Amino acid sequence: MSADSLMPEQPLKLLFVCTVNHMRSATAHEIYRDDPRFEVQSAGTSGLARQVLTPELLAWADAVVVMEKHHRQHIRKHFPEVYRQKRIVCLYLPDDYLYMEPQLVTALRERVEDVYRRGLLR
């Protein structure tokens, strides 16, 4: 066995994106912040977002997890180079929840774990 295979795998850097970074992406950030598989950040596409999506955040991420198709389209329009080069996965999760609402936590866990298991984040 090589020394490289003994090294722990680097955590996957996930950027969770929704519109205002108050409910969905903020909840995803909170529930995955201590998961050793990931380093996480979150942002919103709106200028009113708590953390506005920036080129620096997108460059930091190994994969971008958006909540709806229009978030992916925002990245395509405003950050076309990132759109072509970065893995972007949509969870198809509508803006129908409050921060840390149990149904939102369950939906996020199910969908993130599904795309992770399927290898869509690497």
Side-chain angles (χ1 to χ4, degrees):
M1 193 182 293
S2 73
D4 288 338
S5 64
L6 296 176
M7 297 294 291
E9 191 171 322
Q10 291 290 340
L12 187 63
K13 295 176 183 174
L14 298 182
L15 176 62
F16 293 104
V17 177
C18 68
T19 305
V20 292
N21 189 222
H22 283 255
M23 306 299 178
R24 295 169 292 174
S25 62
T27 298
H29 187 161
E30 182 62 30
I31 64 178
Y32 283 103
R33 79 174 330 128
D34 295 323
D35 189 314
R37 299 173 295 172
F38 309 123
E39 283 183 45
V40 297
Q41 294 203 46
S42 60
T45 57
S46 168
L48 302 174
R50 184 175 64 191
Q51 169 64 58
V52 176
L53 187 62
T54 64
E56 295 78 16
L57 281 170
L58 289 163
W60 168 85
D62 295 320
V64 180
V65 180
V66 299
M67 301 298 154
E68 297 181 76
K69 288 192 311 189
H70 68 90
H71 301 125
R72 182 176 18 221
Q73 295 308 330
H74 177 89
I75 295 169
R76 181 179 176 196
K77 179 179 180 183
H78 297 281
F79 308 99
E81 278 301 309
V82 170
Y83 182 82
R84 285 192 292 277
Q85 298 173 0
K86 195 71 66 169
R87 186 163 294 237
I88 302 172
V89 176
C90 185
L91 299 182
Y92 301 100
L93 194 59
D95 193 9
D96 295 339
Y97 305 94
L98 299 174
Y99 176 72
M100 295 301 289
E101 182 177 335
Q103 294 89 336
L104 175 57
V105 171
T106 298
L108 282 165
R109 282 197 172 127
E110 287 174 353
R111 293 171 192 205
V112 170
E113 293 304 323
D114 178 60
V115 296
Y116 180 74
R117 239 185 347 267
R118 293 169 45 209
L120 300 178
L121 298 175
R122 290 209 177 262

